Amino acid sequence: MFIDQKKPKDFDCGYNLDLMIAALPRIKDDQERIKYAKRAVGLIKQSHPTWVDENGKSEAAWEYFFELAEYDMNEIGIKSPFASGEDDDAQ
């Protein structure tokens, strides 16, 4: 009856970040999935403000986002803007 809960992988972001990352593969629309991933990275950036530079960009947040996932983000079309040379507009 209750959802089996474990301790969150990141105590600063909490269990909601775990749920957001777990939900990504179930989002069918590619653009919606990318937008949702950027929201998750935005949560990481808010919870870890020392990782964010003066321009609001954070390579560390994106790397951490990929570490937390229990699957390959590239397989579902999620790429780090730092690896692809795009702009980090996750905020």
Side-chain angles (χ1 to χ4, degrees):
M1 182 161 135
F2 296 102
I3 296 175
D4 181 37
Q5 290 185 326
K6 302 172 189 156
K7 290 182 181 179
K9 293 177 184 175
D10 182 294
F11 288 108
D12 293 322
C13 294
Y15 189 60
N16 287 333
L17 179 64
D18 295 345
L19 293 175
M20 290 176 79
I21 292 172
L24 280 168
R26 295 191 305 266
I27 300 173
K28 301 283 187 224
D29 182 75
D30 291 340
Q31 295 303 316
E32 280 298 313
R33 189 179 321 112
I34 292 168
K35 191 185 312 183
Y36 197 74
K38 288 180 178 183
R39 284 188 201 136
V41 173
L43 177 62
I44 294 170
K45 288 165 60 172
Q46 287 178 356
S47 298
H48 301 281
T50 58
W51 295 0
V52 182
D53 68 13
E54 61 276 352
N55 297 320
K57 298 180 180 187
S58 177
E59 186 170 1
W62 277 97
E63 288 174 5
Y64 189 56
F65 173 67
F66 276 78
E67 284 176 27
L68 291 175
E70 295 179 357
Y71 51 87
D72 184 3
M73 290 281 194
N74 292 308
E75 289 181 5
I76 61 168
I78 306 296
K79 297 178 179 16
S80 169
F82 295 95
S84 63
E86 297 172 16
D87 191 23
D88 174 19
D89 58 358
Q91 215 169 341

